[in-house]
Amino acid sequence: MSNKATRIYFDNAATTPLDPAVLEAMMPYFTDKFGNPSSIYSYGRESRLAIENARKTVAKILNAHPAEIFFTSGGTESSNTAINAAIHDLGCRHIITSPIEHHATMHTVDHLYHLGEVALSHVKLLPSGHIDMDDLEQLLANSQQKCLVTLMHANNEIGNMIDLHAVGNLCKMNGAIFHCDTVQTVGHFPLDLRATPVHFITGAGHKFHGPKGVGMLYINENVKIKPYIHGGSQERNMRAGTENLYGIVGFAKALELATEQYDTQSNYIKGLKLYMMEKVKNVVPGVTFNGDPLGRSLYTVLSVSFPKTEKSEMILFNLDINNICVSGGSACTSGADQGSHVIRAINNDPNQVTVRFSFSKHNTREEIDFVVEKLKEMI
Ligand SMILES: Cc1ncc(COP(=O)(O)O)c(C=O)c1O
């Protein structure tokens, strides 16, 4: 028996369920339209057309040129590619990043640093968890080498967002390359890349009701990088290997739907987040919210810290046995668990237990009422 109906899924920043309309768009490419996109006969041409149409759709939505859109396996590959290209192809020798980046960025940057290929600086954070723009300006101004700035658009754990244009303009003024991990915002916020000073952005289909294992990398037409997976001539010689045809079709369809639904869904989901904040505040004494949830913040994410007690330490376990799906992320938990580097960087309080609730269009206020009632019992 499936217990799908009785589960509450509040972990949409981790992944989202596939939209049935996306599955419908993908289905023919699993069955009848199976041709290899590189084949020259009709089956192949049909597949090639589907990929190029998907590229045009994505480019149009992001206001980019189709030649600037590369399909990848997801956010991790896209960020790895952009960061490595900035160092190896574009001459960057100094990386400026933050202590709260996703591991896809953080571990790539650390790897290059440990190889001795780059200098590394971390921009300071303000008490709100936002990056200190004055410090970024100083780091850029004082750098003796060409810089790569890699800062995420929206943080997946606490929801804080950078001012993309302000960071991009600072980079531009200082001749720096700017990579922005937009995995949590592509499909959730309108982006106009023609009007945004950024060299690389990234996306992952499964964050906006598309399929897993497919993503995109936008590479601004003014930067020229070298092929990064060698082999066939796919993705304009940059990323060899037979394309994830149905994934790419699904990615474009999901982005199309998310864009059509943006106004209504974003307001609805923001309403859920605010409702949850109010309810938790009223019910659980001593609760705090991480980041800047009422300021420049993702409407999908709410990071809550509860006072640590014997009972609250078991919160993730207790939520799970009550069929409530959320993510953890505390400054430090047990010896085996390193805890969250993001929470440690913004709030190094070992006496708190942190839970990330993240919402989608499928969630309801009734679910929030139920979860808050359970939280009351658990804390
Ligand atoms: C901000 C951010 N960047 C990168 C990634 C990595 O994306 P993927 O798992 O699709 O490679 C994620 C996914 O968790 C993310 O939230």
Side-chain angles (χ1 to χ4, degrees):
M1 190 191 79
S2 159
N3 64 348
K4 183 168 182 273
T6 60
R7 273 188 282 185
I8 293 181
Y9 185 72
F10 279 176
D11 201 17
N12 291 279
T15 197
T16 53
L18 193 75
D19 194 306
V22 175
L23 180 62
E24 201 183 316
M26 292 167 72
M27 276 313 272
Y29 298 93
F30 283 104
T31 53
D32 298 342
K33 301 183 179 188
F34 62 86
N36 187 318
S38 298
S39 300
I40 54 167
Y41 44 79
S42 59
Y43 274 117
R45 291 198 304 273
E46 202 168 60
S47 299
R48 164 73 37 224
L49 188 65
I51 290 176
E52 295 317 316
N53 282 340
R55 201 184 312 280
K56 280 186 201 153
T57 301
V58 172
K60 188 156 184 256
I61 289 170
L62 300 176
N63 199 17
H65 194 276
E68 296 175 310
I69 305 296
F70 295 83
F71 290 114
T72 67
S73 64
T76 303
E77 180 189 321
S78 297
S79 283
N80 270 257
T81 303
I83 294 166
N84 278 299
I87 307 312
H88 297 135
D89 304 333
L90 305 176
C92 298
R93 291 289 170 267
H94 179 189
I95 299 181
I96 300 175
T97 186
S98 88
I100 58 170
E101 297 303 301
H102 189 272
H103 283 153
T105 293
M106 180 175 269
H107 290 166
T108 307
V109 162
D110 287 348
H111 179 66
L112 289 163
Y113 174 68
H114 290 301
L115 286 176
E117 297 197 25
V118 290
L120 182 58
S121 303
H122 290 95
V123 66
K124 286 188 191 134
L125 299 177
L126 300 170
S128 59
H130 285 304
I131 60 158
D132 181 338
M133 291 295 282
D134 293 335
D135 189 48
L136 178 61
E137 195 169 356
Q138 285 298 313
L139 286 170
L140 279 164
N142 294 337
S143 183
Q144 306 297 316
Q145 293 139 316
K146 184 168 176 179
C147 291
L148 164 68
V149 172
T150 172
L151 292 170
M152 67 206 306
H153 192 196
N155 186 278
N156 52 301
E157 292 193 36
I158 57 172
N160 278 21
M161 294 178 69
I162 59 164
D163 182 336
L164 186 55
H165 286 260
V167 172
N169 283 327
L170 261 185
C171 292
K172 199 171 168 183
M173 271 160 35
N174 288 279
I177 295 292
F178 179 29
H179 160 247
C180 188
D181 171 352
T182 50
V183 164
Q184 290 291 341
T185 51
V186 164
H188 293 280
F189 283 85
L191 285 167
D192 177 354
L193 294 175
R194 280 273 165 276
T196 310
V198 67
H199 298 101
F200 299 99
I201 73 152
T202 61
H206 66 113
K207 305 292 187 185
F208 49 91
H209 305 284
K212 295 177 187 30
V214 60
M216 59 131 238
L217 172 63
Y218 157 87
I219 307 179
N220 183 278
E221 60 191 353
N222 295 321
V223 295
K224 296 285 173 253
I225 74 164
K226 298 211 177 87
Y228 63 93
I229 295 186
H230 302 274
S233 60
Q234 292 90 352
E235 294 301 293
R236 294 201 329 288
N237 288 318
M238 299 303 273
R239 181 186 190 265
T242 301
E243 298 89 337
N244 177 359
L245 173 62
Y246 23 79
I248 291 170
V249 168
F251 182 97
K253 182 69 184 177
L255 187 59
E256 213 174 359
L257 290 176
T259 307
E260 275 166 27
Q261 300 168 359
Y262 170 70
D263 285 335
T264 44
Q265 304 299 4
S266 60
N267 279 323
Y268 175 72
I269 299 168
K270 189 174 183 178
L272 293 177
K273 169 174 164 172
L274 297 178
Y275 183 70
M276 174 111 195
M277 274 184 90
E278 271 312 302
K279 293 251 6 176
V280 183
K281 228 170 25 190
N282 291 338
V283 166
V284 188
V287 76
T288 55
F289 301 101
N290 296 299
D292 185 21
L294 298 175
R296 215 172 43 237
S297 179
L298 265 182
Y299 53 83
T300 46
V301 168
L302 182 63
S303 173
V304 186
S305 286
F306 300 98
K308 193 184 243 178
T309 61
E310 227 167 80
K311 246 176 137 184
S312 74
E313 271 198 290
M314 299 296 289
I315 193 167
L316 289 176
F317 175 77
N318 282 327
L319 285 165
D320 185 27
I321 58 174
N322 278 285
N323 279 327
I324 299 165
C325 307
V326 298
S327 273
S330 294
C332 186
T333 45
S334 69
D337 182 351
Q338 294 274 300
S340 153
H341 66 282
V342 176
I343 300 300
R344 259 201 316 277
I346 59 156
N347 167 14
N348 203 2
D349 183 350
N351 295 315
Q352 289 187 327
V353 177
T354 301
V355 180
R356 176 187 71 182
F357 301 92
S358 53
F359 309 105
S360 84
K361 60 185 179 183
H362 298 307
N363 294 129
T364 63
R365 288 184 180 219
E366 289 69 39
E367 287 179 320
I368 292 176
D369 291 340
F370 179 82
V371 170
V372 173
E373 268 314 299
K374 287 286 167 197
L375 285 171
K376 203 162 123 185
E377 294 165 20
M378 287 173 202
I379 301 294

